[in-house]
């Protein structure tokens, strides 16, 4: 007999419907799987056989052929265990589905017949809903994750093969799922009020958060660069429902969601080590998987010790910084992963880290400093909007310095500025913040008067800025005006934007008065 069960697979971060067809025929006992399965699917025959027997069903001693259609789509993962077992039992006459469809099934089987969690369930549920399925059966451990797409499709959590058979046969009602409450993480204890001093850096971080501008922090070791960077997510707006779904899908297919854990609405923060490879940062593998830039989608990507990253690793950042996505091509497929993030980078001013430090002597030569700073290419540096130099704090400043504003206070201003931007770009599809504006939108929304234009022209001439830098200054000015609640860009807004966008580099001659104790 022939039976068909609908299931799903994941390609990139998108789900695709797969028809699991099983034919049980007379002949020598054989179990064959066709339809471009990977090794984990080929090995499913042993798991399925043991799960069926340990669930008190008889495994048919016949010729079993499993076809995963469409045949030209490569399938991977153990999520086909449960639909294959159900199709074998149905084709063997052990049960007849009584539930009205269409419905979809996914889940890995353990040897005792239990259903284990699988990755990418959120993308599968979204694909099943979009394809018109009314119900999807998922492992109970994945129920919290799939609760994000409950509208339009019924999510049924299952814990075992026997329970799934009884539900489809109409013997029992749908099991009740439980959504676990979100538990606070260690990141929730970080707050901007813990940062003493560094008023310029705090202001730069707020402007960067308000317009989603990339930022570079330059300063001596121990000056607070990492401390500031790790608190950036605490002042960013909370993830919207659409952003939460996008971000959770990426973490789901990457298998980075703990079973049963509710995903936080705080924006993700990723801080890869400087020894990471280009594939680890951008994504890759024989079957491409999301990299750190995609895991930081809608959040923050923090690159500490920026010059220590390999040159080829940093250069692959150009596409995601420009397009908000990354394309990975392989011989048999080309996948596109979203990668719209806020880049926060940190570096020392020189190899020893004490160039310009009034309390420590720098022993680096100008050649060493030039070699160190040149590890970051001009095109990459040109894609960073805000450049801040952090000054080292004295002991008295650390002891008597007043605590700054809390993250909640700063976040309120950032959210107000973001709301102004959302209202402004309501008719511009795909634009949500000032940093995403193209040249045409800059000309439309960053109109300046004669005196402000004169200041911008003088700054470009004196600092030797490029056309891209001019647009960066205009976008930064627009963000500063949004934070101030101003409709027009003033000279003060422009002056602050020029100061934030200036080149960070200094030669030893320019700071010789401060480089020697």
């Amino acid at each position: 007999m022939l039976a068909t069960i609908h299931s799903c697979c994941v390609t990139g971060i998108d789900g695709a419907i797969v028809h699991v067809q099983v034919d049980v025929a007379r002949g020598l006992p054989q179990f064959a799987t066709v339809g471009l399965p990977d090794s984990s699917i080929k090995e499913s025959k042993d798991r399925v056989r043991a799960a069926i027997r340990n669930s008190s069903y008889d495994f048919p001693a016949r010729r079993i052929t499993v076809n995963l259609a469409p045949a030209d789509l490569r399938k991977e993962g153990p999520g086909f265990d449960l639909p294959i077992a159900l199709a074998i039992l149905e084709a063997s006459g052990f049960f007849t589905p009584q539930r009205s469809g269409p419905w979809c099934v996914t889940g890995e089987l353990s040897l005792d017949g239990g259903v284990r969690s699988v990755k990418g369930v959120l993308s599968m549920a979204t694909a099943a809903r979009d394809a018109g399925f009314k119900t999807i059966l998922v492992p109970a451990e994945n129920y919290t994750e799939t609760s994000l797409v409950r509208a339009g499709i019924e999510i049924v959590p299952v814990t075992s093969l026997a329970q799934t058979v009884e539900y489809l046969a109409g013997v029992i009602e749908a099991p009740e799922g439980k959504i676990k409450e979100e538990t606070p993480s260690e990141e929730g204890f970080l707050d901007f009020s813990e940062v003493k001093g560094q008023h310029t850096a705090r202001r730069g971080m707020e402007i960067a958060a308000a317009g989603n501008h990339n930022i570079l922090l330059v300063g001596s070791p121990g000056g607070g660069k990492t401390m500031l960077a790790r608190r950036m997510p605490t002042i960013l707006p909370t993830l919207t429902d659409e952003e939460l779904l996008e971000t959770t899908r990426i973490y789901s297919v990457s298998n980075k969601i703990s079973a049963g854990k509710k995903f936080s609405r705080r924006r993700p923060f990723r801080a890869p080590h400087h020894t990471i490879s280009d594939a680890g940062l951008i994504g890759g593998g024989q079957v491409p998987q999301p990299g750190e830039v995609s895991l930081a989608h809608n959040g923050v990507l923090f690159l500490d010790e920026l010059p220590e990253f390999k040159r080829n690793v940093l250069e692959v950042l150009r596409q995601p910084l420009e397009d908000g996505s990354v394309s990975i091509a392989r011989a048999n497929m080309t996948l596109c992963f979203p990668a719209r993030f806020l880049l926060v980078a940190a570096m020392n001013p020189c190899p020893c880290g004490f160039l310009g430090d009034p309390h420590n002597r720098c022993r680096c030569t100008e050649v060493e400093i030039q070699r160190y700073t040149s590890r970051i290419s001009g095109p990459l540096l040109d894609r960073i909007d805000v450049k801040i130099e952090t000054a080292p704090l004295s002991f008295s400043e650390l002891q008597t310095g007043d605590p700054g504003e809390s993250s909640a206070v700063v976040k309120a201003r950032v959210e107000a500025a973001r709301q102004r931007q959302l209202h402004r770009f309501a008719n511009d599809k795909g634009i949500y913040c000032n940093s995403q504006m193209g040249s045409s939108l800059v000309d439309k929304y960053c109109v300046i008067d004669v005196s402000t234009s004169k200041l911008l022209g003088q700054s470009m001439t004196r600092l030797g800025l490029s056309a891209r830098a001019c647009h960066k200054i205009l976008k930064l000015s627009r963000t500063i005006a949004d934070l101030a609640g101003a409709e027009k860009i003033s000279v003060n807004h422009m002056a602050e934007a020029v100061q934030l966008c200036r080149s960070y580099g200094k030669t030893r001659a320019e700071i010789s008065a401060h480089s020697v104790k």
Side-chain angles (χ1 to χ4, degrees):
M1 295 179 61
L2 177 66
T4 300
I5 300 291
H6 302 291
S7 186
C8 283
C9 69
V10 176
T11 302
I13 64 168
D14 299 319
I17 301 299
V18 175
H19 306 285
V20 180
Q21 301 172 329
V22 172
D23 178 64
V24 178
R26 293 180 179 179
L28 293 176
Q30 185 181 4
F31 196 121
T33 304
V34 297
L36 286 182
D38 71 343
S39 58
S40 63
I41 299 177
K42 293 177 181 178
E43 294 172 353
S44 67
K45 61 181 180 181
D46 298 316
R47 294 192 297 270
V48 168
R49 182 184 292 111
I52 289 177
R53 288 175 175 171
N54 291 324
S55 299
S56 301
Y57 299 108
D58 293 330
F59 188 84
R62 295 192 175 189
R63 186 177 64 193
I64 300 175
T65 303
V66 179
N67 178 43
L68 306 177
D72 59 346
L73 177 65
R74 184 162 187 83
K75 296 89 179 174
E76 63 170 357
F80 293 103
D81 290 2
L82 183 56
I84 289 175
L86 291 173
I88 291 175
L89 292 176
E90 182 183 352
S92 302
F94 286 105
F95 85 104
T96 301
Q98 300 297 324
R99 297 289 177 181
S100 59
W103 36 268
C104 189
V105 183
T106 185
E108 177 187 348
L109 287 176
S110 58
L111 299 184
D112 62 357
V115 178
R116 299 170 56 87
S117 63
V118 295
K119 67 177 184 179
V121 172
L122 184 56
S123 296
M124 297 178 191
T126 304
R129 181 195 60 186
D130 296 342
F133 286 85
K134 302 301 181 183
T135 306
I136 181 171
L137 283 70
V138 302
E141 294 177 342
N142 294 121
Y143 182 75
T144 301
E145 173 187 342
T146 54
S147 62
L148 294 174
V149 290
R150 281 181 293 176
I153 189 171
E154 181 186 7
I155 310 296
V156 177
V158 293
T159 58
S160 67
L161 174 60
Q163 182 193 47
T164 308
V165 171
E166 291 176 352
Y167 167 74
L168 293 177
V171 177
I172 63 173
E173 295 300 320
E176 183 179 353
K178 295 182 180 180
I179 300 177
K180 293 189 177 182
E181 295 298 327
E182 178 182 338
T183 55
S185 62
E186 292 183 3
E187 189 178 343
F189 297 102
L190 301 179
D191 196 277
F192 254 83
S193 61
E194 300 169 349
V195 180
K196 295 184 178 180
Q198 303 296 359
H199 302 292
T200 302
R202 289 173 57 95
R203 172 65 174 170
M205 298 291 282
E206 179 179 343
I207 294 172
N212 207 61
H213 301 284
N214 301 319
I215 183 171
L216 173 64
L217 301 171
V218 184
S220 303
K225 302 185 295 296
T226 302
M227 189 177 188
L228 286 163
R230 291 193 176 277
R231 282 155 180 76
M232 175 63 90
T234 66
I235 64 173
L236 289 173
T238 304
L239 286 171
T240 63
D241 291 341
E242 180 182 356
E243 291 173 332
L244 179 62
L245 180 59
E246 289 179 350
T247 305
T248 310
R249 285 176 61 190
I250 297 172
Y251 278 73
S252 177
V253 300
S254 302
N255 204 24
K256 293 186 180 296
I257 298 181
S258 301
K261 181 181 179 181
K262 187 175 181 180
F263 197 78
S264 172
R265 281 188 176 269
R266 173 167 290 180
R267 295 182 180 270
F269 179 87
R270 304 296 298 182
H273 194 260
H274 63 261
T275 57
I276 192 172
S277 65
D278 52 354
L281 185 65
I282 212 73
Q286 185 175 1
V287 178
Q289 294 292 313
E292 290 292 334
V293 295
S294 296
L295 294 173
H297 181 62
N298 290 325
V300 176
L301 177 67
F302 176 44
L303 301 183
D304 200 5
E305 303 295 344
L306 187 64
E308 302 299 334
F309 285 80
K310 297 178 182 177
R311 181 68 174 263
N312 65 305
V313 173
L314 292 179
E315 292 306 305
V316 298
L317 284 173
R318 292 194 196 182
Q319 182 193 3
L321 287 175
E322 197 74 24
D323 303 332
S325 61
V326 56
S327 297
I328 302 176
R330 293 294 182 266
N332 57 348
M333 68 180 71
T334 298
L335 299 177
C336 183
F337 296 111
R340 188 175 62 247
F341 55 86
L342 192 161
L343 174 64
V344 179
M347 62 176 288
N348 297 326
C350 66
C352 76
F354 297 115
L355 181 64
D357 191 328
H359 307 294
N360 296 278
R361 180 178 179 179
C362 173
R363 301 182 181 275
C364 304
T365 65
E366 287 194 32
V367 175
E368 291 174 335
I369 298 173
Q370 180 65 29
R371 186 183 299 117
Y372 179 75
T373 57
S374 64
R375 295 178 186 177
I376 310 170
S377 67
L380 177 60
L381 195 61
D382 212 26
R383 287 170 169 81
I384 299 177
D385 300 341
V386 180
K387 303 177 182 69
I388 297 291
E389 294 182 16
T390 59
L393 299 179
S394 64
F395 178 76
S396 60
E397 289 175 318
L398 287 174
Q399 293 296 314
T400 62
D402 296 330
E405 294 178 314
S406 66
S407 294
V409 174
V410 179
K411 182 178 180 179
R413 292 197 297 264
V414 170
E415 288 182 331
R418 286 286 185 102
Q419 287 300 318
R420 296 187 184 96
Q421 295 168 44
L422 289 174
H423 178 73
R424 179 184 303 126
F425 303 130
N427 298 324
D428 300 301
K429 187 176 181 180
I431 306 297
Y432 307 101
C433 51
N434 290 334
S435 65
Q436 296 176 323
M437 287 192 293
S439 56
S440 60
L441 293 181
V442 169
D443 295 337
K444 181 179 180 181
Y445 296 120
C446 300
V447 180
I448 55 179
D449 56 25
V450 176
S451 58
T452 309
S453 178
K454 182 179 179 181
L455 173 61
L456 178 59
Q458 292 174 345
S459 302
M460 288 190 64
T461 302
R462 184 176 303 173
L463 300 176
L465 302 177
S466 64
R468 176 181 284 163
C470 176
H471 279 176
K472 286 195 302 183
I473 293 174
L474 287 170
K475 289 187 284 188
L476 274 174
S477 302
R478 182 66 268 171
T479 300
I480 296 171
D482 289 338
L483 279 171
E487 293 294 330
K488 296 183 179 180
I489 299 174
S490 68
V491 174
N492 292 335
H493 303 149
M494 180 64 67
E496 186 175 10
V498 171
Q499 183 71 9
L500 292 172
C501 194
R502 77 194 190 286
S503 175
Y504 72 89
K506 288 185 178 181
T507 63
R508 178 178 293 279
E510 291 176 305
I511 59 171
S512 58
H514 302 286
S515 60
V516 180
K517 197 172 180 179

